[in-house]
Amino acid sequence: MKRLTIVRIATAMVLWMTIGCTPSPRVVGNQEPVGPQSRESTVNALFAPPSPETIPGDLRGEQIRLGYKMIVATQEYGKRYVGNALNCTNCHLDGGLNPNAASFVGIAALYPHYHERAGRRVTLADRINECFERSMNGKPLPPDSVKLTAIVAYIEWLSKSMPSGSAVPWRGVPRIASTHQPDSPGGKKVYEKKCAFCHGSEGQGTAAAPPVWGPRSYNIGADMARIGLAASFIKANMPRGWGWTVTDDEAIDVAAYINTRPRPDFPGMTHDWPKGGKPADAPY
Ligand code: HEC
Ligand code: HEC
């Protein structure tokens, strides 16, 4: 057997074990686990982001608007802190207003809270900076900076109707429940057929879509670098704006493929999960 084939089989086995351990549906706050069907109906019933007309006309309103710009035009407004070609809205779709793509609506009510990856209590500002360092492959914003305060203000405004500590049923991404064995070479075929024409044949991005691997993508410490999470995001949201979808199996395979391509390193992640709780699909 060729060495490459052995490596591929070994990789596939490791990936299969990790996907097999995909966390059960999320429990947020004090509520019961939310499965795919009940998530959808709960979200349909409760998801109601405030309308932009309710942004106050004062200084606070200006902060909120700047925060929104930081999310949708991070390349421009957050330039100094970004180390890749992404904007927050590329994953937190529709400026954080999409209930299937790690929405920001309501989440301020959940902070501060203990974050296992950090091994400590984190504030919303800390969590935003984690995405700057990992998803954006960049640098954290200074704690009291106008720009960080603005993003916090935007997310707080999106959370104003959620009492502190209340449950956020749409939090995160709807997770796929599948025991399919990820097959990275199979994922390459899916990628070429269903992703490359927007994301580029080398994952480098095009005018139509951002990069999914390579030096201008998220780094290995990002949440999206985890196969289970990426597969769920892809299943729920890709291809963007087209009438067709991918199956669960295709999403798992293609997530395994893109997340085994080269991407920026993240040295800081050797300090992750200092007190345990590391998910099986973390890529290290
Ligand atoms: C029709 C074009 C199109 C197709 C096809 C498409 N995407 Fe995307 N994808 C996008 C766009 C546009 C975004 C950014 C969305 C935004 O900013 O609103 C995106 C975002 C993403 C992201 C998060 C941001 C990033 O670049 O890391 C991932 C991961 C992703 N797509 C994976 C895939 C995969 C895998 C496929 C194939 C199954 C796929 N996409 C097919 C257009 C597309
Ligand atoms: C490559 C995709 C990607 C990009 C780009 C990205 N994020 Fe994230 N972000 C994620 C994922 C995935 C999660 C975790 C979702 C989960 O755990 O289900 C997350 C989580 C978060 C959270 C915590 C959400 C919660 O429910 O507690 C915040 C806040 C956040 N990101 C802010 C930002 C900001 C601000 C930016 C831009 C500076 C950004 N992110 C860019 C993918 C991304």
Side-chain angles (χ1 to χ4, degrees):
M1 210 182 317
K2 282 209 202 99
R3 212 171 133 206
L4 189 62
T5 316
I6 297 172
V7 170
R8 278 180 179 161
I9 291 172
T11 314
M13 281 174 68
V14 170
L15 294 175
W16 177 74
M17 291 183 315
T18 61
I19 284 277
C21 303
T22 296
S24 51
R26 271 168 175 268
V27 186
V28 182
N30 49 8
Q31 62 160 51
E32 294 299 306
V34 180
Q37 277 90 36
S38 71
R39 186 192 197 275
E40 199 182 333
S41 53
T42 319
V43 169
N44 289 342
L46 298 176
F47 188 78
S51 104
E53 291 91 72
T54 69
I55 299 179
D58 56 7
L59 262 175
R60 178 78 178 160
E62 287 200 5
Q63 273 187 325
I64 295 168
R65 286 201 180 83
L66 175 61
Y68 172 75
K69 289 178 192 158
M70 289 287 294
I71 300 299
V72 297
T74 329
Q75 289 292 317
E76 187 184 340
Y77 288 87
K79 207 178 164 109
R80 283 181 56 196
Y81 304 97
V82 174
N84 64 17
L86 299 183
N87 293 292
C88 312
T89 193
N90 293 155
C91 300
H92 300 277
L93 299 177
D94 306 318
L97 297 178
N98 187 314
N100 294 324
S103 176
F104 295 142
V105 176
I107 63 148
L110 304 171
Y111 289 84
H113 68 140
Y114 179 76
H115 187 25
E116 282 179 337
R117 186 175 67 189
R120 62 182 172 89
R121 220 171 145 75
V122 297
T123 62
L124 180 55
D126 293 333
R127 186 64 186 83
I128 291 166
N129 269 337
E130 287 185 8
C131 261
F132 267 100
E133 291 182 90
R134 295 159 188 260
S135 305
M136 309 296 290
N137 191 39
K139 292 186 295 198
L141 279 70
D144 47 2
S145 61
V146 171
K147 292 188 168 177
L148 183 55
T149 315
I151 301 176
V152 171
Y154 173 61
I155 298 179
E156 282 178 354
W157 173 72
L158 288 176
S159 309
K160 67 187 164 69
S161 59
M162 308 287 288
S164 175
S166 68
V168 179
W170 49 83
R171 190 177 187 201
V173 174
R175 301 298 291 250
I176 7 189
S178 167
T179 51
H180 171 70
Q181 172 178 344
D183 164 30
S184 178
K188 182 175 197 286
K189 294 198 190 96
V190 177
Y191 185 82
E192 281 159 4
K193 197 166 137 215
K194 297 195 165 181
C195 320
F197 66 95
C198 285
H199 288 286
S201 56
E202 291 303 316
Q204 77 281 17
T206 67
V212 284
W213 74 82
R216 295 161 72 242
S217 181
Y218 54 86
N219 70 38
I220 58 169
D223 294 278
M224 197 63 89
R226 291 180 33 206
I227 298 186
L229 191 45
S232 301
F233 173 88
I234 291 161
K235 168 71 188 178
N237 301 297
M238 289 297 136
R240 181 86 168 129
W242 286 51
W244 41 276
T245 56
V246 292
T247 64
D248 286 8
D249 294 3
E250 285 175 326
I252 291 168
D253 292 348
V254 80
Y257 177 64
I258 65 174
N259 278 338
T260 46
R261 299 302 93 204
R263 61 180 59 262
D265 195 9
F266 182 58
M269 94 192 166
T270 49
H271 305 296
D272 284 351
W273 287 287
K275 296 183 183 156
K278 181 181 131 175
D281 66 344
Y284 39 85

